[in-house]
Amino acid sequence: MTELNLFEITHKQLDECAEILQLDPGVHAMLRSPMREIHVSLPIRMDDGSVKVFQGYRVQYNDAKGPTKGGIRFHPDKTIDSVRAQAAWMTWKCALLDLPLGGAGGGVLCSPKEMSRNELERLSRKYIDQISEYLGPHKDIPAPDVYTDPQIMAWMMDEYFKISQDQQFGVITGKPVAIGGSVGRADAAARGGMYAIREAAEVLGLDLSKTTVAVLGYGNAGHFAASLCSELLGCKVIAVSDSRGGILNREGLDAKAIQRHKSMTGSVIEFPRSQAISNEDLIELDVDILIPAALENVITDVNAGKVKAKILAELANGPTTPEADDILYANGVHQIPDFLCNAGGVTVSYFEMVQNAYMYFWDKEMIHQRLDKKITTSYHAVYNASTRFNIDMRKAAYVVSVMRVVEAMKVRGWI
Amino acid sequence: MDAESRVIRSGIPALDQVLQGIWLGDNVVWQIEDLEIYQFFARPFIAQAITDGYVCVYLRFASHPPILDPQPGLVIIELDPSPGFDYFSAEVHRIIEEKGRKVFYVFDSLSALVAEWTTDELLANFFQLTCPYLFELDTVAYFALTLGKHHDSAVSRIRDTTQLLINVYGANGEHYLHPQKVWSRYSSQMFMPHVIQGNKIVPIFHSGDAAKIGVLSRKEPLRAGAESIAPWESVYRKLIQYRDCDEHTVNEKPEIFSLKQELTHMLLGSTPPFSDLADRYFTLKDLFNIRSRIIGSGRIGGKASGMLLARRILLREDGDFDFHPFIDSHDSFYIGSDVFFTFLVNNNLFRLRMHLSRVKQISSHDEFEEVERLFLEAHFNDEIMEQFRNMLDYFGQAPIIVRSSSFLEDSFGNAFAGKYRSEFCANQGTPEQRLESFLRAVKLVYASALNPDALSYRNKRGLADQDEQMALLVQRVCGMPFKKYFFPPLAGVAFSRNLYAWTDRIDPNKGIIRLVFGLGTRAVDRIGGDYPRMIAVSHPELRPEKGDKVVKYSQREIDLLDLEKNDLVTMPVEEILSNADYPNQHLFVSIFKDGFLDDPAFVLLDSADGADGEYSEYVLTFNNLIRKSKFVEIIGKMLAKLEHYYGLPVDTEFTAYIDPKGNCHVNLLQCRPLGLPGTEGRPAVIPGDISPGDILFRSSRIVSSGVVKNVRYVILIDPAGYASIDSLETKKLMGRIVGRINSHPQIIEGKSMMMGPGRWGSSNIDMGVNAHYSDIGNTSVLVEIAREEAGQVPEVSYGTHFFQDLVEAKIVYLPVYPDDAKTEFNADFFENSPNVLAELFPDSIEYKDVIKVIDVPAATGGKSLQVVANLQTQNALCYLA
């Protein structure tokens, strides 16, 4: 199988928007390339005394709307194109939420599973050493991504402080709460998705208290989605699943009890008072809201036609293939595209920066309230674009994002 | 048959007269002082029998001069008692069965058996087992015993079993015959001493004469006074005086050293290279200590011996690491191997065992339940019961474990891993209740010697007829009480070689630890959905998971003893750890909170759901233990020392704890040689010249080496078909069908490769086919079809008993990743080759969409399947040639 070039996918998506928006070719060309790329070599002394050199990247894609922001991945298979794609998507995501931020991405080619904690710490610090001049709360703000976590962010922040001689907590987000991280991050993505679902239901005229929900995937996002669906929205979750299969109870499932069951047995399957259901059947279940919350490419041209849900809320990244998008749109399934549906995470990261700048921290209620406002506004911007241009919600989300970046570039006099 | 027609002629009419005739069915035991006397009675007996037309058999097994000379009409069968009681008894049984009814036997002196088997107990067992069978077949058999040289209890059992027991002894220049038991016959003078005078045997009535004979004869007046010649007692008697001699003196004096060697072999077995190690490292004091803790008699078995030897080696003062501060002492008891046979013989279970060992068709697990029931109903004799009570009094209410410690188990070359049972006794309640639970545990472990997995394994390895005595090891359960539970904080298995070196950074020669919280049962067995922490000794911190995958691949359930329920229970780890009040909990857990795993910086104060209400949980990672304690260093050094002394890679079981000062203590429970695949002969070379069309798949991340040639059958459990089965029952059934295919003669003859989704041997059927070892024991290659997105990540099956069995049976185990381009998986071959399932099993046709049997030569025009797996290069190739 040929490997997908993710950067080419971002080009394709941008090209479609450019056509809809009738972008000037020069502007279009500028948006197709990152503004700045930093390539660094990182010599690390390993525990056995040997020295190993790692390659690191940081791509700052577009900072028209503000300092760039994006994750750092530690992964052995990372290509520069995948980092570029990651940076491009962050640009669109921040713009969609109308955050005063541009997009970036970065990472180090390494196999963190094969490295000790001390080696990982040395690598994290060395990476910051090498790119620190391009970082800062007003320049570029990293965050955790694949195989990096709050601990690594903490080391990086500490290293940055040493170099800059300045304790600016906002230089990195996703930090442990003990050193300036924000509360409310754990369920931020799922919570943001709930606000979007609520708005979608409003638009579609659905009474949420009478709706049924199926959640595909029961990792962190899936679990929070299932539990918030009933807590926040008053919906009835009737089916959930994980990699080993699913469970169904038309009378409703108790998300917290499922979580307990899963933490004891390793899976949701065989949950008491439920019947077994396959992942395939769950996708085709007669529910009002379907929430894919874990894996990519689960809704394809094969099963998209059988989706009976009225709302498809993409809490996972890329759960729907482009072919499936067309089928769903034709069938009137209301999609909440991934980078709107799961944008709660980046929004709370932005809140972390804001709180760091204030040196004053909000409680969860404040986080939830402001997240609600951001997601609600963004949802409606996307929905309006979808109606205005008569396009599906995903294309509409891209259109809104690109419009906002272009607008920023224009007022700054770049174009 | 009336009494008259049963009477035969002994060849000595005077004897017939004294005894009122010997009958068909009689076992005649002669207690004699020298063999000439035995010959005196045996020779006319056989001469007469040949004359009378009976089939006569002389069973020749002793080193003493022959009792009978070769002559027409006499069949002489030579037997070797040295392999042991089990083997010898079975052989004799086979001969008796083969010869049939009304055969006349003369056995060599039974006392010779004692020299081989070391205890009178086994002698009595042999007699008690053999005599009734001879009786059933209306044979007449002569046996001899040296008078006054066997333990009273043994002679009593022989007396109780035999029909005739006759003492013959010399006194005052005469020989006297004195019947002790003559079953169903009586005369007023029968049980008087008789003097043998030429061809006459005359009773002695005069009291003065009788008393004189009694006084002058060499025998002890009461049997209890006899000093047994059995080495079990005689060697001990000779050695006891040297008990306090230093090691040097013992080793320098050949006569003492050879006695010590004899004692070592009696207690621990005589199979090299283990016996060489035992001779070298055990002191006389060690051996006396062992003997003093044996219940009954006989050997202590492989598991106990391995444990003791390993401890002895570790505590030797050499090298730069002193294990004394880290290795805990032990106070185990051993139930001698003779007790097992006495139990079988006394409860009529020996013949059942012999039958089950021999039948080709292994009994089902259901039939085994019936075997267990029979064992549970059986009884121990009073002497053993009293010793059991003594031992239980010693342990008080401390939890104990009864572990099998059989001869073959854990010995060099045979890891009977997990075939025989271990039973925990929470050991709570009144002395009577505790005794009852203990007896149940012992009987269940004994019964497990007959379980289908064990018998299948023995058959497969050609051990079916080998002597397999079951000793038991009774150990104090390591651990401490916590609330109403009892368990060790740390337990696991450790291997001196790490076959699961999933990255080049890991040094496979430094070993691996499989660690759990609570009882070690979860580390030893392979349990779906629950994962011990795998620690590579060379790089303890590295693990193949990252981020929230660490949470997924962690231990969720704990095995522990519930002191209130008086039972072994499994419960969620969360219930033990959630209040953060388990001692040293901060060393064992990480906190999953805020989307990442954090290792506590200090002792834990709060429950996982802390004051801020954020979702969090404790996850068993043992990160702080690994980083902050000497645990890994100690185990690493332990493995290295044991491997050095054994001269072979080792496999160990341990428990451990951290004391209040933060010091680590290890209790070594078991040590045995580790069966390593791919270490014999030359390394397996992956051929580079196979044409792409002949490649069926490649595999990486392999865990065993080997070369398997000319495989005829592929048994494929189709992953999609398997996943589509909704019913759990049907899924379970697949394991049984695989088991039937496994035992089909054509499959056994033709060699097979089994392929299935996920993990083989998992008890969780969603993770893979639920197969016991006996279901797959005849395959040559076992392939795990791994699809990560389906949740079937190849698990670290290494270290489990199931995997150990595969290693021992030289079954090559490969994971294959059809979705990975590098795998070169020839899906076309597996999908399109014809399915011959219905030809082999016409009644299984309904499962043809799930189970496919490919006859490779038929499907490929004569080619067969070849597999080469090289552990060093982490590559395997399956191809047609």
Side-chain angles (χ1 to χ4, degrees), chain A residues 187-248:
Chain A
D187 70 353
R191 190 172 283 273
M194 295 304 113
Y195 297 139
I197 290 171
R198 185 192 62 207
E199 295 310 306
E202 172 97 29
V203 164
L204 299 177
L206 286 178
D207 178 354
L208 280 171
S209 66
K210 292 179 184 154
T211 55
T212 52
V213 180
V215 181
L216 181 72
Y218 214 77
N220 243 353
H223 156 62
F224 284 123
S227 106
L228 290 171
C229 262
S230 44
E231 269 175 42
L232 272 186
L233 307 181
C235 313
K236 192 198 289 178
V237 178
I238 63 163
V240 302
S241 69
D242 61 23
S243 56
R244 286 163 57 186
I247 51 171
L248 167 71

Side-chain angles (χ1 to χ4, degrees), chain B residues 228 297 571 589 591 606 780 808 860 862 877:
Chain B
S228 170
S297 57
M571 57 188 294
V589 299
I591 305 162
D606 290 323
S780 302
E808 286 292 328
T860 58
L877 178 66

